[in-house]
């Protein structure tokens, strides 16, 4: 089996792949101030509950955008599994050419997203990842990662607004039916959630224009299901796209 570990700014997502499916997916809060024992205890409990043994695994793949956790997980997982995990960089899957100015600045999660989308479709693709940041990663039919657009994620935008406004209440992530806010909560939902519909549509249109044609659009990330009006723009909504990319990268090393 294969273990994929996606270390993000909000969560560490851990997936177990076997028999051509994700058998288990777990989430742990990303807490850089915690030590290895914190994560080890949770992983051991997950394995015990699911009946997995470390000897069942022959590959471990890590993506991390939290530098302080990268080394911690690499050492922890090597100690538990008895072999070195693969830490994803743009060099771990050379089939996908990264055509940006500073390739090594690219987040490994975005690289994994691009690998998964291109491997499945082998056409021009845009991956829209609704996470801590809202990202648009574009891949060409020629296996080239052409570029990325980044905006604040939905929760990030709401936190930024409430942090500077003392009287704002907690805002649920619920799409309103009207842009005419009748109270504070409704007004913020209209401004941010309906506003993001326009943001995503505008960027998709601009990217298509620069590609001179149509392309596949794949949505992923924990908040990808919230903005229903956008779903007609998506060829696929795949909550496990990053894990799929890590799996593909891990299998390519055999």
């Amino acid at each position: 089996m294969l273990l994929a570990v996606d270390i993000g700014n909000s969560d560490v997502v851990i997936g177990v792949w076997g028999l051509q499916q994700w058998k288990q997916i777990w989430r742990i809060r990303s807490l850089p101030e915690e030590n290895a024992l914190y994560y080890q205890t949770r992983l051991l409990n997950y394995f015990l509950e699911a009946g997995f043994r470390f000897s069942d695994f022959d590959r471990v793949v890590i993506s991390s955008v939290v530098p302080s956790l990268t080394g911690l997980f690499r050492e922890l997982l090597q100690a538990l599994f008895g072999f070195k995990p693969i830490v994803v960089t743009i060099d771990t899957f050379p089939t996908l050419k990264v055509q940006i100015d500073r390739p090594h600045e690219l987040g490994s999660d975005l690289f994994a997203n691009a690998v998964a989308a291109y491997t499945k479709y082998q056409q021009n693709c845009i991956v829209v990842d609704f996470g801590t940041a809202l990202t648009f990663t574009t891949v060409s039919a020629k296996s080239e990662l052409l570029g990325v657009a980044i905006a604040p994620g939905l929760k990030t935008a709401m936190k930024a607004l409430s942090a500077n406004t003392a009287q704002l209440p907690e805002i649920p992530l619920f799409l309103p039916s009207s842009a005419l806010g009748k109270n504070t909560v409704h007004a913020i939902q209209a401004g941010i959630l309906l506003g993001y519909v326009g943001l995503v549509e505008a960027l998709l249109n601009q990217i298509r224009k620069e590609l001179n044609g149509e392309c596949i659009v794949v949505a992923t990330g924990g908040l990808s299901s919230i903005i229903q009006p956008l779903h007609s723009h998506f060829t696929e909504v795949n909550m496990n796209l990053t894990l799929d990319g890590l799996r593909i990268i891990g299998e390519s090393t055999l």
Side-chain angles (χ1 to χ4, degrees):
M1 293 194 293
L2 178 146
L3 189 80
V5 181
D6 176 25
I7 305 170
N9 289 298
S10 299
D11 296 298
V12 179
V13 183
I14 301 170
V16 174
W17 178 265
L19 301 176
Q20 301 301 306
Q21 63 179 327
W22 291 108
K23 300 173 75 68
Q24 291 284 345
I25 296 176
W26 303 298
R27 286 180 177 269
I28 307 173
R29 286 291 307 279
S30 291
L31 299 173
E33 67 274 13
E34 291 288 352
N35 58 27
L37 182 60
Y38 168 81
Y39 296 101
Q40 176 179 307
T41 300
R42 279 151 183 79
L43 189 59
L44 289 172
N45 286 339
Y46 290 147
F47 267 52
L48 182 62
E49 291 171 1
F52 295 137
R53 297 172 299 178
F54 294 109
S55 59
D56 294 334
F57 294 78
D58 57 3
R59 280 156 294 166
V60 175
V61 188
I62 300 172
S63 163
S64 176
V65 297
V66 185
S68 62
L69 292 180
T70 307
L72 182 153
F73 268 89
R74 182 176 60 239
E75 294 173 10
L76 168 63
L77 294 172
Q78 182 171 344
L80 290 174
F81 288 90
F83 55 84
K84 288 184 178 181
I86 300 163
V87 179
V88 171
T89 69
I90 62 170
D91 301 316
T92 52
F93 195 81
T95 302
L96 185 65
K97 309 300 181 185
V98 179
Q99 303 293 334
I100 63 176
D101 293 338
R102 296 181 177 88
H104 290 281
E105 290 182 358
L106 180 73
S108 56
D109 55 341
L110 302 187
F111 184 71
N113 286 345
V115 167
Y118 174 77
T119 300
K120 181 170 183 177
Y121 291 104
Q122 299 191 17
Q123 301 178 43
N124 289 346
C125 298
I126 306 169
V127 178
V128 186
D129 192 336
F130 292 83
T132 304
L134 172 64
T135 61
F136 300 75
T137 305
T138 303
V139 185
S140 77
K142 297 179 181 179
S143 189
E144 299 168 318
L145 195 156
L146 299 176
V148 178
I150 303 175
L154 289 166
K155 286 186 177 179
T156 304
M158 285 192 171
K159 286 180 181 178
L161 187 61
S162 60
N164 294 299
T165 312
Q167 293 185 340
L168 283 184
E170 187 74 20
I171 309 298
L173 289 171
F174 177 78
L175 191 74
S177 58
S178 171
L180 304 176
K182 300 301 184 181
N183 54 62
T184 301
V185 170
H186 183 184
I188 294 172
Q189 289 172 330
I192 293 181
L193 294 173
L194 290 177
Y196 266 65
V197 173
L199 186 158
V200 172
E201 289 176 340
L203 275 171
L204 291 179
N205 288 338
Q206 178 64 28
I207 294 169
R208 286 192 181 99
K209 181 179 177 181
E210 294 185 32
L211 293 176
N212 295 315
E214 275 302 313
C215 55
I216 300 295
V217 181
V218 182
T220 190
L223 301 176
S224 58
S225 62
I226 290 175
I227 307 182
Q228 293 293 330
L230 289 172
H231 284 199
S232 62
H233 295 279
F234 303 146
T235 307
E236 175 189 6
V237 177
N238 182 348
M239 302 292 286
N240 300 323
L241 190 72
T242 309
L243 294 181
D244 285 338
L246 297 182
R247 170 185 59 80
I248 292 164
I249 291 168
E251 290 174 347
S252 74
T253 62
L254 290 179

